[in-house]
Amino acid sequence: MRPCRARRPERRPALLEFRDVRKHYRTGEEVVRAVDGLSLTIGAGKMVALYGPSGSGKSTLLRIAAAIEPPDGGTVLVDGRDVTSLSERDAARYRLFVLGWINQQADLIGGVTALDNAAIKPLAAFGSMRRARRTVAPLLERLGLGGRLDHRAETLSTGERQRVMIARALALDPQVVLADEPTGNLDSRRSREVFELLREETHTRGLATLLVTHDERAASYADAVHSLQDGLLTDSGPEAALAP
Ligand code: ADP
Ligand code: MG
């Protein structure tokens, strides 16, 4: 495949800032205030957890931060840049180079090896499978999957699949990581491993990591934890206090 020579933005530590973000959904007569004026700042090298029940607006908030859907009001800034009004092309570049995304399902491509599943982003960026594999193999080894590179997705355990997702998210050295219920399908030992791994990568890479979860175990691993209820933070910890 011919390299596509995608230009990657300069890598530097970034703040992730939510400023008065609002998203309301109308279904018939009813208005659901999924996110209701939320402000939060996450510094580089910090893992912040939002802890909230189902329906409290966690996934909506992450979709907005990932430039998948726009808010009705407010902004999300990464390194001072508004990511809620990017063109489609810039949003795709943002998701490829700036963002790492981890979700609950660990939705890997069936029939495809751990190595190739983790290599998707560098493949999209560079157009070379060989280069993409070279990029992610050491990362998979560091995440304890060195012996699983050639194993197909469906032969991996749930915990291994989640680590492949983490490798995929980190493959292009992102500035921001968004994790939506990353331990939702894991037992407590595997959950702890995933939280510890995310915390360590956040600190060593200087990532701004936002993890949303209803798993209370996250609290002991994050640098700050906030409660989310009906699209609003119900406390104001030190991170929230940083927001304007
Ligand atoms: P969580 O991830 O915390 O479970 P969500 O962000 O998925 O919460 O949902 C928050 C609220 O917004 C819920 O009441 C949900 O039903 C509603 N909601 C989310 N997406 C949509 C949508 N596309 N259309 C209508 N309502 C939605
Ligand atoms: Mg959700």
Side-chain angles (χ1 to χ4, degrees):
M1 197 187 294
R2 198 162 53 85
C4 64
R5 293 199 186 87
R7 261 192 318 117
R8 65 177 310 162
E10 190 191 340
R11 170 71 167 83
R12 55 181 186 193
L15 279 184
L16 170 62
E17 298 173 81
F18 294 83
R19 290 193 185 164
D20 198 22
V21 175
R22 259 183 304 113
K23 185 80 189 182
H24 295 175
Y25 294 108
R26 260 160 276 278
T27 45
E29 295 286 280
E30 207 199 342
V31 175
V32 177
R33 296 164 178 264
V35 181
D36 206 20
L38 183 146
S39 296
L40 176 70
T41 299
I42 302 168
K46 297 287 182 206
M47 179 161 115
V48 173
L50 296 189
Y51 174 66
S54 176
S56 57
K58 302 185 295 295
S59 296
T60 304
L61 192 67
L62 293 198
R63 286 197 304 276
I64 292 169
I68 291 167
E69 73 181 297
D72 296 326
T75 53
V76 180
L77 304 172
V78 173
D79 197 19
R81 190 165 71 129
D82 180 1
V83 298
T84 63
S85 54
L86 298 173
S87 68
E88 225 169 274
R89 199 187 139 152
D90 285 346
R93 275 170 51 83
Y94 163 66
R95 286 190 290 267
L96 188 59
F97 289 114
V98 178
L99 212 65
W101 177 276
I102 300 160
N103 64 18
Q104 174 179 354
Q105 285 90 16
D107 46 1
L108 306 181
I109 304 169
V112 170
T113 63
L115 181 62
D116 289 357
N117 261 295
I120 284 172
K121 287 174 81 174
L123 176 63
F126 309 131
S128 154
M129 197 61 201
R130 253 174 66 192
R131 183 171 170 191
R133 285 173 177 153
R134 269 208 314 271
T135 306
V136 291
L139 183 56
L140 284 165
E141 271 160 34
R142 218 153 67 73
L143 299 184
L145 292 168
R148 294 281 187 276
L149 301 187
D150 296 335
H151 291 229
R152 292 172 198 274
E154 57 277 5
T155 68
L156 302 172
S157 72
T158 322
E160 287 169 345
R161 293 164 68 91
Q162 197 58 312
R163 277 182 282 155
V164 174
M165 279 296 282
I166 294 173
R168 179 191 283 176
L170 299 179
L172 286 177
D173 203 13
Q175 291 159 295
V176 171
V177 167
L178 303 175
D180 193 348
E181 310 260 13
T183 62
N185 291 328
L186 303 180
D187 62 34
S188 60
R189 188 164 72 90
R190 300 290 174 208
S191 296
R192 197 181 66 225
E193 281 174 12
V194 164
F195 286 136
E196 282 176 352
L197 202 58
L198 279 176
R199 182 176 62 182
E200 193 184 320
E201 295 295 328
T202 297
H203 292 171
T204 54
R205 293 167 181 264
L207 303 167
T209 298
L210 175 60
L211 189 155
V212 300
T213 184
H214 65 255
D215 184 342
E216 57 193 353
R217 288 167 295 204
S220 48
Y221 297 101
D223 296 303
V225 185
H226 302 288
S227 302
L228 188 70
Q229 185 77 49
D230 299 329
L232 259 181
L233 299 182
T234 53
D235 55 4
S236 57
E239 297 290 332
L242 281 172

